[in-house]
Amino acid sequence: MLETQHREMERAFRIAKEMSNLIIYCRSVTFNSERARQNFIFYEMSSFPENKAEKLICQQETKFFLKYHQIQFSRVYPKGQRIDSSNYNPINLWNAGSQMVALNFQTSDKPMQLNQAKFRDNGNCGYLLRPQFMFRDEFDPYDKNTLIDVEPMTISIRVIGARHLNKSKKGIASPFVEVEVIGAEFDSGVKLTTKSVPDNGFIPIWNEICEFDVANPLFALLRFVVQDVDVFGEPNFIGQATYPVTCLRTGYRSACLKNMYSEDLELSSLLVHISIRNSMESSNDLH
């Protein structure tokens, strides 16, 4: 009898029961602070516009939402005022545990490039497990002293040179490179802006060094941006390469450059040397 009912439902709704049983559903609910504090319900999910999310999740109620995200899902989406389809910075929301940080994929801006880089980990499958320390009650994404069982590291980067750097307009590029770490607030910042090499986009040489102390490598992304200096001294984007710090490998590396849409730029790459050590170890020179 039950089997007959299932088959009738399949015919009516055109849904195979075997396929339906593979799916785990979340029920969308309007976020209610008082109700959420009384009881976490694992299959409920609330959505927040970016401005509300940044105010609640990243500023006013960070501690509560860290606990909230241990049980429930949240989804953050761009605010309606972004009529140009621009994007907000997803980093702080990831760091506070939000599982679904929606962006405008049609827009080729820095936040979208960070999103593409973040999910290069785990085989680029689009799904990442959160670090175990995010499930500890004492964890605070803004306080590196609350990190437990996380090994800090020092990353030394030598930007040696590049090849085939083409500017968007006619002429020969005068390129320079910016290197930065983006992650936890206490780790983020630009650490190197190389000199520009006049009229040499074919094989420019910089041979400049920078060093990053990264307390929370599990949140961190390493980003290279190559820009061209125009006749007015203004920078113009050529290419970028962004990687999760946990995916970095030591030694001489060719960092293939991508365009603003994170698509490969044919033949364009940076030659760098990467050295990684535990921050407690003595400093070693690059070679």
Side-chain angles (χ1 to χ4, degrees):
M1 183 67 177
L2 187 61
E3 184 67 24
T4 302
Q5 290 178 346
H6 286 158
R7 294 305 171 192
E8 289 177 354
M9 290 176 63
E10 287 180 8
R11 285 194 294 270
F13 296 101
R14 297 183 180 180
I15 298 174
K17 182 177 180 296
E18 292 80 3
M19 182 68 74
S20 178
N21 288 341
L22 296 175
I23 302 172
I24 298 174
Y25 292 94
C26 287
R27 185 175 71 186
S28 180
V29 299
T30 301
F31 177 74
N32 183 298
S33 179
E34 293 183 5
R35 180 172 176 272
R37 291 177 190 279
Q38 292 173 2
N39 189 24
F40 291 125
I41 302 175
F42 72 92
Y43 56 81
E44 291 189 346
M45 179 186 73
S46 295
S47 295
F48 303 84
E50 62 170 283
N51 46 345
K52 183 177 181 180
E54 289 171 352
K55 185 177 181 180
L56 280 176
I57 299 175
C58 301
Q59 298 174 19
Q60 296 179 349
E61 300 283 353
T62 303
K63 203 71 177 176
F64 167 74
F65 274 98
L66 285 167
K67 185 67 175 178
Y68 175 94
H69 288 137
Q70 292 177 14
I71 308 296
Q72 291 185 225
F73 284 85
S74 74
R75 170 182 171 268
V76 182
Y77 57 90
K79 60 186 179 182
Q81 291 87 340
R82 291 188 181 273
I83 58 175
D84 59 349
S85 292
S86 59
N87 284 309
Y88 56 93
N89 187 349
I91 294 290
N92 288 337
L93 292 159
W94 289 334
N95 294 354
S98 184
Q99 297 91 344
M100 289 176 279
V101 183
L103 298 174
N104 290 309
F105 269 56
Q106 70 271 25
T107 304
S108 59
D109 54 11
K110 183 177 178 179
M112 192 65 240
Q113 294 161 17
L114 296 178
N115 183 81
Q116 298 284 6
K118 179 78 170 178
F119 293 97
R120 294 180 73 169
D121 201 353
N122 197 19
N124 204 27
C125 70
Y127 180 84
L128 295 175
L129 287 176
R130 281 176 294 172
Q132 192 60 41
F133 60 74
M134 295 187 73
F135 294 88
R136 300 181 184 273
D137 291 338
E138 65 272 17
F139 172 66
D140 181 345
Y142 302 102
D143 184 359
K144 60 184 176 183
N145 295 317
T146 63
L147 296 173
I148 297 176
D149 298 329
V150 178
E151 185 173 298
M153 60 176 60
T154 297
I155 306 172
S156 297
I157 307 289
R158 183 192 293 271
V159 180
I160 301 170
R163 65 171 185 168
H164 297 290
L165 303 180
N166 299 313
K167 58 193 300 182
S168 58
K169 298 179 181 179
K170 292 182 179 180
I172 302 174
S174 297
F176 68 93
V177 183
E178 294 176 343
V179 187
E180 65 177 324
V181 163
I182 306 168
E185 195 173 77
F186 45 76
D187 285 333
S188 299
V190 177
K191 283 296 182 75
L192 175 66
T193 300
T194 70
K195 65 181 182 296
S196 63
V197 179
D199 300 325
N200 187 354
F202 181 67
I203 185 167
I205 301 295
W206 294 283
N207 205 32
E208 297 188 33
I209 300 173
C210 62
E211 189 169 273
F212 301 89
D213 292 319
V214 182
N216 189 354
L218 295 173
F219 279 2
L221 301 169
L222 179 66
R223 175 176 169 83
F224 302 93
V225 180
V226 182
Q227 309 227 50
D228 167 52
V229 179
D230 63 20
V231 293
F232 303 104
E234 295 296 322
N236 295 281
F237 179 89
I238 292 179
Q240 55 89 20
T242 310
Y243 305 94
V245 162
T246 53
C247 294
L248 295 179
R249 298 294 180 264
T250 59
Y252 291 97
R253 299 290 166 182
S254 178
C256 297
L257 295 176
K258 298 179 179 293
N259 64 16
M260 297 183 76
Y261 288 95
S262 296
E263 300 166 333
D264 289 339
L265 292 173
E266 188 176 4
L267 300 179
S268 299
S269 64
L270 288 173
L271 177 62
V272 300
H273 185 279
I274 301 175
S275 176
I276 301 174
R277 64 181 186 276
N278 185 296
S279 292
M280 302 301 293
E281 297 176 3
S282 59
S283 177
N284 295 314
D285 292 333
L286 285 171
H287 58 280

